[in-house]
Amino acid sequence: MNLSSMPQADLQSVNVTVEGNGYYPALSTAYFIEHYAVAQEYASKSDLLVEKLKRAQGEINQELASAVLTNGESLNAQQVIFYNDAVYSKAKANLLVSKLGSTHRDSATAQSQAAIDNHEHWLRESINAMRLLQSLSSNLSVELL
């Protein structure tokens, strides 16, 4: 059961892996559904989840393009956690915006305000995770004069 007392989707049947580019890790729709409380109405739509993950992955990768996080080595465990959090949070925010268009008009105002608040929350989570990831860069240093 999920937070709304609805039966959860079978995570194994909807699990699709979104490959990383060799430097950044792969992503999983099952992990996204389970750890980011994806609504039941979207949990069984693996194509939609893959699209949101790929879009978020592309945006985060582009934002990190100028940051040298490691010296040619793969990301360490802590960096992987922050990277995943940045991508999944951005995908969750994008998924919430998608939900705004599918609500009924009679309750749209209240639902849209709640969704906007949640959207802003998940965008802040994504930005925070990216900042934490960038702060772990091996090339950042402070020089005392």
Side-chain angles (χ1 to χ4, degrees):
M1 296 264 177
N2 65 13
L3 297 175
S4 64
S5 300
M6 298 293 290
Q8 282 199 337
D10 178 14
L11 295 180
Q12 293 308 314
S13 68
V14 295
N15 188 28
V16 177
T17 301
V18 176
E19 294 301 324
N21 64 1
Y23 183 70
Y24 295 118
L27 305 165
S28 163
T29 57
Y31 184 89
F32 184 42
I33 292 167
E34 185 176 9
H35 291 89
Y36 288 82
V38 172
Q40 178 63 32
E41 63 212 61
Y42 297 121
S44 60
K45 297 178 180 177
S46 58
D47 291 343
L48 176 68
L49 295 179
V50 168
E51 175 196 336
K52 297 298 180 186
L53 285 174
K54 284 184 177 182
R55 185 179 310 266
Q57 180 186 48
E59 290 174 12
I60 296 297
N61 289 358
Q62 185 176 16
E63 290 180 40
L64 292 173
S66 63
V68 180
L69 301 175
T70 62
N71 292 324
E73 300 171 13
S74 51
L75 300 178
N76 66 37
Q78 189 174 21
Q79 289 172 317
V80 168
I81 289 170
F82 292 144
Y83 174 79
N84 284 343
D85 197 29
V87 174
Y88 287 126
S89 294
K90 185 165 279 260
K92 174 75 174 190
N94 292 340
L95 197 60
L96 289 169
V97 170
S98 294
K99 190 173 183 174
L100 287 177
S102 66
T103 58
H104 299 306
R105 289 184 187 260
D106 57 348
S107 61
T109 304
Q111 288 180 347
S112 69
Q113 185 59 45
I116 288 169
D117 290 343
N118 286 332
H119 170 46
E120 291 168 1
H121 165 77
W122 287 106
L123 280 179
R124 283 191 306 271
E125 289 293 310
S126 177
I127 291 166
N128 186 47
M130 276 215 345
R131 287 181 181 153
L132 290 169
L133 177 60
Q134 289 170 330
S135 73
L136 294 176
S137 172
S138 60
N139 292 334
L140 287 179
S141 61
V142 176
E143 189 174 315
L144 298 175
L145 298 175

